[in-house]
Amino acid sequence: LQRYRESISKANPPIRHVQQHGVDREMARIVSRCLAADPDQRFTNVQEILDRLDRRAEMRARRPLMLLGVLGPILLLLATSIYAARTIDRASEDTKEALREEAFSSNQLSAKYAARTLESELERYFRLTRDEINENDFRQSLSSALSDSQLQRDLKIISDQGTSERAQKMTQTRESILDAPARMELDGYLAERLSKYTSARTDSRIPRLASMFVTDSDGTIFGIAYDNPVTRDQNSAGRNYAYRTYFHGQKNDLPKDKLIDSITPLKQMHLSAAFQSTATGLWKVAISAPVHLSGDATGIPDAVFVVTINLGDFELLQGETGANQVAVLVEAREGPMRGTVLQHPYMETRHKQGKRNTGDPYKVDAGQMNDLLRKGLVDYRDPIAQAPEAEGYTGEWIAAMQPVRVPGEASFDSDSNHQADLLVLVQYRLSKVFAPVGEMRENLLWEGVAALVSILLVSGTLWFLVRRVGDERADRSRKLAAASDAAGDTEFSPKASTRDTSKPVPPGNLTETLQKPLGHGPD
């Protein structure tokens, strides 16, 4: 018997019942405990087995409710979370759309204000040009220069070359024009007048000019003054620019090989097409006016007076690099220059840093430009973002365009205005517009996560407490039932559980049999 017990204690515990299909975990535990080789690990009496079977039955009966108690809140929270997420997404999109429309309306107002301000600036320059050509000293200096026989002969040689392109080769004649005393006297007068508009650059009330010059009736410059001194080679005096819009008053420059005698000088004050400075790369515009020394404004003018303006000198077109709202000037004339960005804070910043704006001009996409003019509400991408060191202008923007009107050229004081071929574009960074939505969305999501975690913790705590209370009540019920059974049946008295199970006991009743070591054989 001792060897039999040792064999059982050393043998592996039985597992066939665990592997049996249909035996649940709790039943397998009860059977395993009944088959334990160590008596201390087995049930002490049949009542314990019955209690465990009753408890198993109660647990199986409560399992659907427990499953519902766990899955129900989880499914409810999941449905609530999905609905809340969809609501947040819908609210975010609606808010974004409302903010987009609000930003576009704000940009439209800003663009209108900028356009009207630029129109006022242009009006000041038109008045300046008109006042300058009516100055007696200017008319006398101009008349004296045009009366100089040597200067007249040199200017005639230039125009006789036929085209502006061929006239550039007349270097000796150009040198003669540069040294003409009458022309140099006109230069002195123009330099004196120009200094009035360059010496007080900090005063925004005084217009700023880049240059001031005069051409003859064939488009050859013979008097000029620059805001910054230039070398003799860079001086434009003696060069013919009859193809330029400031001379003939048309919308775009003419080919350089067009015959000079086929180009008629302008008859009215005119705002030229933008042109790029060869020295700085900045864009300029010119305001030109015909000059009739005889007083008869019906014929060919004796000269054309021109003032040029750096577009960066317009205060409203200046700004900080990387700013969230930017005002930009765009060329709108039909032709190859349409859509060209003429002035941008990026250009002005590079100019102040002493860097030249080189390379091909930056242009607004033609389709996007048309959409901005027709539809208005368009996600805009700044073409300047492709430039070196222009990362601050990447991404999408809300943009609005507004045309700029200039005073009517026929009569400056009249109410007649015509549409200029310039556009003011005001752009606002889209990410800045949507920033409040992102913050709101993030806050709502975090609040939702906190609420879900709180609900799960409360539900889990309540489920644990309810289960514990239920188990305690079940244990008390079983104990009361066991005590009642013990009082009515002495066969299952408490004394039976205190026997010394270490001694061999012959099989007599079920309780004693369970206290014996059980074998693995057919017994």
Side-chain angles (χ1 to χ4, degrees):
L1 183 60
Q2 182 64 28
R3 286 195 295 272
Y4 178 66
R5 287 178 175 174
E6 290 177 357
S7 175
I8 292 176
S9 63
K10 293 179 180 179
N12 293 327
I15 59 172
R16 294 283 300 275
H17 64 282
V18 177
Q19 299 172 347
Q20 184 67 29
H21 178 70
V23 177
D24 59 82
R25 186 180 300 176
E26 184 62 21
M27 178 62 76
R29 287 176 180 173
I30 294 173
V31 175
S32 295
R33 189 170 174 182
C34 291
L35 297 177
D38 186 358
D40 292 336
Q41 296 181 3
R42 296 199 299 269
F43 293 103
T44 57
N45 54 51
V46 175
Q47 187 61 48
E48 286 191 20
I49 299 176
L50 296 176
D51 289 343
R52 286 295 295 271
L53 290 173
D54 290 340
R55 184 176 179 182
R56 170 180 169 272
E58 291 178 3
M59 290 178 62
R60 290 173 65 86
R62 288 188 303 176
R63 186 174 298 172
L65 294 177
M66 294 172 61
L67 187 63
L68 181 61
V70 174
L71 292 180
I74 293 178
L75 292 175
L76 181 61
L77 288 176
L78 181 61
T80 304
S81 301
I82 294 175
Y83 178 77
R86 290 183 58 189
T87 302
I88 291 174
D89 287 340
R90 190 180 300 111
S92 299
E93 292 302 320
D94 291 344
T95 304
K96 283 184 177 180
E97 192 62 28
L99 287 175
R100 186 195 300 269
E101 292 179 359
E102 185 67 24
F104 176 69
S105 298
S106 176
N107 268 12
Q108 278 188 316
L109 291 176
S110 298
K112 288 181 180 179
Y113 172 78
R116 298 297 89 80
T117 303
L118 186 56
E119 290 166 8
S120 299
E121 287 291 302
L122 291 174
E123 183 177 341
R124 294 171 63 194
Y125 285 101
F126 268 72
R127 290 185 182 278
L128 177 155
T129 304
R130 184 193 61 183
D131 292 343
E132 288 297 327
I133 63 175
N134 289 327
E135 286 284 340
N136 289 330
D137 291 343
F138 167 72
R139 300 179 78 85
Q140 290 177 5
S141 298
L142 177 62
S143 178
S144 176
L146 290 175
S147 300
D148 185 83
S149 58
Q150 180 62 42
L151 182 60
Q152 284 184 347
R153 186 164 50 253
D154 291 338
L155 292 175
K156 184 71 168 55
I157 293 173
I158 294 292
S159 61
D160 286 344
Q161 300 308 307
T163 66
S164 299
E165 196 171 35
R166 289 198 292 265
Q168 300 293 335
K169 301 176 182 179
M170 305 301 294
T171 56
Q172 288 186 341
T173 304
R174 176 175 174 274
E175 292 293 329
S176 177
I177 292 174
L178 286 172
D179 294 330
R183 190 205 69 80
M184 296 176 65
E185 289 182 9
L186 180 60
D187 277 3
Y189 171 82
L190 294 176
E192 181 182 354
R193 295 300 302 171
L194 183 63
S195 65
K196 174 183 176 182
Y197 307 107
T198 58
S199 60
R201 284 191 173 273
T202 57
D203 190 349
S204 60
R205 295 172 298 179
I206 299 178
R208 306 173 187 178
L209 298 179
S211 65
M212 183 182 291
F213 60 90
V214 183
T215 75
D216 67 357
S217 58
D218 291 320
T220 303
I221 297 176
F222 66 93
I224 188 168
Y226 296 93
D227 57 346
N228 295 314
V230 298
T231 63
R232 186 179 180 90
D233 291 340
Q234 293 177 324
N235 195 310
S236 295
R239 294 191 172 101
N240 185 275
Y241 294 99
Y243 62 90
R244 290 286 193 186
T245 61
Y246 60 70
F247 177 75
H248 54 72
Q250 300 180 40
K251 283 186 174 293
N252 296 292
D253 288 346
L254 301 174
K256 292 183 180 180
D257 58 357
K258 189 173 181 62
L259 294 177
I260 294 175
D261 58 7
S262 67
I263 303 175
T264 304
L266 53 81
K267 298 179 180 180
Q268 305 164 349
M269 293 182 67
H270 174 70
L271 177 68
S272 75
F275 56 95
Q276 199 168 18
S277 169
T278 56
T280 63
L282 295 177
W283 291 90
K284 299 180 178 183
V285 290
I287 297 176
S288 52
V291 181
H292 297 271
L293 294 176
S294 63
D296 183 9
T298 58
I300 299 295
D302 299 296
V304 174
F305 177 79
V306 185
V307 296
T308 64
I309 308 132
N310 288 322
L311 291 175
D313 287 338
F314 289 116
E315 192 170 352
L316 70 94
L317 298 177
Q318 300 175 3
E320 298 180 358
T321 299
N324 291 317
Q325 190 172 36
V326 177
V328 180
L329 192 64
V330 179
E331 175 67 74
R333 297 171 189 257
E334 295 294 339
M337 294 301 295
R338 179 175 171 80
T340 300
V341 177
L342 303 177
Q343 180 55 25
H344 193 287
Y346 167 81
M347 298 178 178
E348 188 64 23
T349 299
R350 287 180 63 85
H351 177 62
K352 290 179 180 179
Q353 295 173 349
K355 299 177 181 178
R356 188 174 182 274
N357 294 290
T358 57
D360 295 332
Y362 302 102
K363 292 184 178 181
V364 180
D365 179 74
Q368 196 171 49
M369 187 172 175
N370 292 332
D371 289 341
L372 284 169
L373 291 171
R374 295 171 186 169
K375 302 177 185 178
L377 193 56
V378 177
D379 290 341
Y380 172 74
R381 290 190 177 274
D382 195 336
I384 293 292
Q386 305 172 7
E389 302 176 3
E391 296 81 5
Y393 298 101
T394 57
E396 294 184 344
W397 301 70
I398 290 289
M401 276 187 168
Q402 185 69 25
V404 178
R405 297 175 300 174
V406 296
E409 296 175 343
S411 175
F412 183 80
D413 293 321
S414 69
D415 294 332
S416 62
N417 291 306
H418 78 285
Q419 197 83 353
D421 293 316
L422 293 173
L423 292 169
V424 170
L425 184 149
V426 175
Q427 58 190 65
Y428 196 93
R429 199 182 301 275
L430 195 59
S431 60
K432 186 67 175 177
V433 175
F434 291 161
V437 179
E439 295 176 2
M440 177 195 71
R441 181 185 178 87
E442 184 177 357
N443 292 335
L444 288 176
L445 289 176
W446 278 113
E447 290 290 335
V449 170
L452 290 177
V453 172
S454 301
I455 293 173
L456 287 174
L457 289 176
V458 171
S459 299
T461 303
L462 292 176
W463 179 81
F464 173 77
L465 293 176
V466 170
R467 182 178 180 183
R468 183 172 181 179
V469 171
D471 290 344
E472 290 177 353
R473 292 180 62 183
D475 289 341
R476 285 198 300 270
S477 299
R478 284 192 294 269
K479 289 178 180 179
L480 291 175
S484 176
D485 292 342
D489 189 354
T490 57
E491 185 179 355
F492 298 101
S493 65
K495 293 181 179 180
S497 63
T498 60
R499 294 183 55 182
D500 185 1
T501 58
S502 63
K503 298 178 181 181
V505 179
N509 56 49
L510 182 59
T511 303
E512 292 173 340
T513 301
L514 288 172
Q515 291 176 338
K516 290 171 52 182
L518 299 179
H520 295 223
D523 291 339

